[in-house]
Amino acid sequence: MSRTLAILGATGSIGTSTLDLVERHPERFEVVALTAATRVAELADAARRTRARLAVIDDAALLPELEQRLAGTDCRAATGRDALIEAAVSAEVVMAAIVGCAGLEPVMAAIAAGRTILLANKEALVSAGALMMGAAKQHGATILPVDSEHNAIFQCLAGSRSQDVSRIILTASGGPFRTCSLAQMRDMSPEQAVAHPNWTMGAKISVDSATMMNKGLELIEAHHLFGLPPGRIDILVHPESVIHSMVEYVDGSVLAQMGSPDMRIPIAHALAWPERIATPAARLDLAKLASLHFEVPDENRFPALRLAREALDSGAVAPIVLNAGNEEAVAAFLDQRIGFGDIADLVEDLLVRVDAPAPRSIAEVVDIDRMARDEMRGLMLAHMA
Ligand code: NAD
Ligand code: MG
């Protein structure tokens, strides 16, 4: 049985891995819509290959080029917020693979339409957590986690009753600076920060892995997806990235999901659920690996972990501020306007500056996000002066 599929963020790391799988299993999915920010040639090429009906480019200046590249096909080229929302509700299954809070509104539109959302875009869930999960329940939408850790937990939970779970254990690779001192980390360059030892990913999440903010965002993500209090979610550094996360049950059993570090495995799981489809990912050879290692995370060297835990404990506003500040800081770091060590320092400064009543709607989440970004830009200007 074939289902319709939209891929938001089709030109990114998750988006292209999704296309790779879908094109290996053409009988499973009919691609109807693809979106991208600026990579117009890749977008048009993917739309031609998959015979999509709608291609949306965020950068309006690139629309004429997209139209030209799609000439002679049945695919309509579009730009703008309404077109992005149209793409998000156009299919039964939606891969949400836009990076950052920019993906929030389309994800919410897909939820309101009761779609099945394959959620890679963790920033949207971090910012709108309770509202998003509430809307999914209200509209009967299904959210399937694509983030490897959350997908692993979802697999290990296997529909168990929540009272049978004692805790979940999120594993973390520790990133490229796992063994560095704070002093060594301070002046790391963007090139060094994005050179992840195990995974190839987009630039933003690669920097988040280096600061370990990624694991902090994932803690918040896990709390919302699985409804467990923060005290029952542990983080464990596991440098080989073979165990993608674990669930411990009340009887002492621990279930782990393992596999080679290839995002096509969790993406394939979400695409085919509750069935399975083949992927070309390397098979795990445990005899060759011989040993796996585990360490307690160090919140002194990786303060982003502490900031995320504190933000989650303090309510609905701090996670929005944490995420917005981090997005701005990571962009500035990649642009070489601030240093690596400044990212967590500036986010910590921001968290004490921005407060608001708890948001009751997505519009209020977007307002707080905007306010936090404005404040963060001011903080960074003052920092650079
Ligand atoms: P990426 O930077 O490689 O791709 C991002 C995609 O989003 C691109 O297609 C880009 O065109 C689009 N995009 C960016 N900004 C946009 C905007 N303002 N409006 C519309 N579209 C926009 O990122 P990625 O690594 O593929 O990550 C995507 C999401 O998946 C992130 O939230 C990330 O945290 C999450 N994730 C990624 C991985 C991974 O291995 N890459 C693993 C787990 C989770
Ligand atoms: Mg992850």
Side-chain angles (χ1 to χ4, degrees):
M1 192 190 67
S2 161
R3 294 190 293 170
T4 51
L5 174 72
I7 307 175
L8 314 179
T11 55
S13 163
I14 295 288
T16 49
S17 291
T18 305
L19 282 165
D20 175 82
L21 289 168
V22 167
E23 293 182 84
R24 286 170 195 272
H25 298 276
E27 74 295 349
R28 287 236 168 206
F29 289 102
E30 180 194 341
V31 175
V32 293
L34 299 173
T35 84
T38 53
R39 292 190 182 167
V40 63
E42 286 95 327
L43 176 64
D45 187 47
R48 278 183 175 275
R49 289 196 323 266
T50 59
R51 299 166 196 263
R53 297 197 286 269
L54 175 63
V56 181
I57 188 90
D58 187 60
D59 183 344
L62 294 170
L63 182 61
E65 183 179 344
L66 183 61
E67 281 168 341
Q68 192 189 352
R69 287 179 180 273
L70 289 174
T73 71
D74 291 332
C75 186
R76 178 162 54 93
T79 186
R81 182 179 169 277
D82 290 351
L84 183 57
I85 304 284
E86 183 188 342
V89 301
S90 65
E92 294 159 85
V93 181
V94 185
M95 168 54 81
I98 288 177
V99 57
C101 221
L104 176 58
E105 286 183 285
V107 167
M108 290 306 300
I111 288 175
R115 304 301 192 231
T116 293
I117 293 102
L118 316 185
L119 188 73
N121 182 201
K122 67 189 85 181
E123 296 90 350
L125 183 61
V126 166
S127 296
L131 289 168
M132 188 185 287
M133 296 310 290
K137 204 169 173 191
Q138 185 192 340
H139 298 288
T142 303
I143 298 180
L144 297 174
V146 168
D147 210 348
S148 58
E149 297 76 3
H150 306 73
N151 182 269
I153 293 163
F154 181 72
Q155 293 194 47
C156 295
L157 283 172
S160 300
R161 302 182 311 165
S162 62
Q163 65 264 40
D164 294 344
V165 172
S166 56
R167 61 181 179 134
I168 59 186
I169 302 155
L170 276 177
T171 53
S173 69
F177 307 149
R178 179 175 61 87
T179 58
C180 295
S181 69
L182 258 180
Q184 285 172 319
M185 268 186 264
R186 275 224 79 84
D187 301 315
M188 289 294 186
S189 68
E191 291 69 30
Q192 290 168 304
V194 299
H196 197 281
N198 306 341
W199 300 93
T200 328
M201 311 181 284
K204 191 264 177 183
I205 184 174
S206 297
V207 175
D208 285 347
S209 296
T211 59
M212 290 193 76
M213 180 62 87
N214 182 50
K215 212 50 54 179
L217 299 175
E218 290 184 354
L219 165 74
I220 302 173
E221 184 185 12
H223 164 71
H224 292 300
L225 284 172
F226 306 115
L228 279 184
R232 280 164 62 196
I233 309 172
D234 287 351
I235 295 171
L236 182 66
V237 175
H238 163 45
E240 290 90 0
S241 299
V242 164
I243 293 180
H244 298 302
S245 277
M246 298 178 253
V247 175
E248 183 190 280
Y249 287 91
V250 289
D251 59 6
S253 271
V254 178
L255 265 60
Q257 188 266 349
M258 301 194 280
S260 58
D262 184 328
M263 283 307 293
R264 288 177 298 186
I265 297 176
I267 295 170
H269 176 266
L271 278 171
W273 182 84
E275 299 175 3
R276 300 263 179 181
I277 51 173
T279 79
R283 303 293 114 153
L284 207 51
D285 185 344
L286 288 172
K288 195 165 157 205
L289 273 164
S291 55
L292 300 177
H293 297 83
F294 304 95
E295 300 162 11
V296 172
D298 181 349
E299 290 193 355
N300 292 318
R301 285 185 304 123
F302 296 98
L305 284 173
R306 171 178 54 80
L307 296 176
R309 201 177 271 283
E310 289 170 358
L312 177 56
D313 286 339
S314 85
V317 175
I320 308 173
V321 177
L322 174 92
N323 178 68
N326 182 60
E327 283 191 33
E328 291 297 320
V330 170
F333 167 67
L334 286 170
D335 226 19
Q336 295 184 307
R337 286 181 281 127
I338 64 170
F340 182 79
D342 298 329
I343 299 173
D345 286 357
L346 287 161
V347 171
E348 183 157 21
D349 284 354
L350 182 73
L351 279 161
V352 295
R353 280 163 187 266
V354 182
D355 201 8
R360 286 156 305 174
S361 65
I362 293 301
E364 289 181 4
V365 171
V366 172
D367 282 346
I368 298 168
D369 174 86
R370 235 176 248 145
M371 191 166 71
R373 283 170 201 270
D374 288 347
E375 186 72 25
M376 189 63 165
R377 291 192 199 108
L379 271 180
M380 291 194 294
L381 281 177
H383 173 83
M384 288 178 284

